[in-house]
Amino acid sequence: MELRLYPSVNDLPKDLWEASFSSGYPFLEHAVLAGLEASGRTGSPTGWQNGHLGVWDTDRPGAMGPGFL
């Protein structure tokens, strides 16, 4: 198993992300997180660095989660 840190939610496969979070909670949706990044609401100017996580077992995700540093 390998823990990977992603600087953008767009670096993670959208279909796998969406399959991991089916609760309907908006701040777990790929599109919402991508929109925050694209609009500049997260990133170096704001002080909120994207640090999304993925735990991988070879080429399959075991877990994913949004994160900010």
Side-chain angles (χ1 to χ4, degrees):
M1 304 237 338
E2 177 184 4
L3 177 64
R4 300 178 190 171
L5 182 67
Y6 296 89
S8 173
V9 73
N10 292 313
D11 294 335
L12 289 153
K14 182 179 179 180
D15 58 334
L16 296 177
W17 182 275
E18 294 292 333
S20 297
F21 301 104
S22 60
S23 68
Y25 183 66
F27 293 104
L28 293 177
E29 292 182 13
H30 190 277
V32 171
L33 295 169
L36 289 171
E37 292 176 11
S39 67
R41 300 293 186 251
T42 63
S44 52
T46 66
W48 288 93
Q49 297 301 309
N50 303 312
H52 309 297
L53 299 173
V55 177
W56 293 82
D57 185 9
T58 312
D59 61 344
R60 297 180 352 199
M64 291 187 199
F68 300 93
L69 307 171

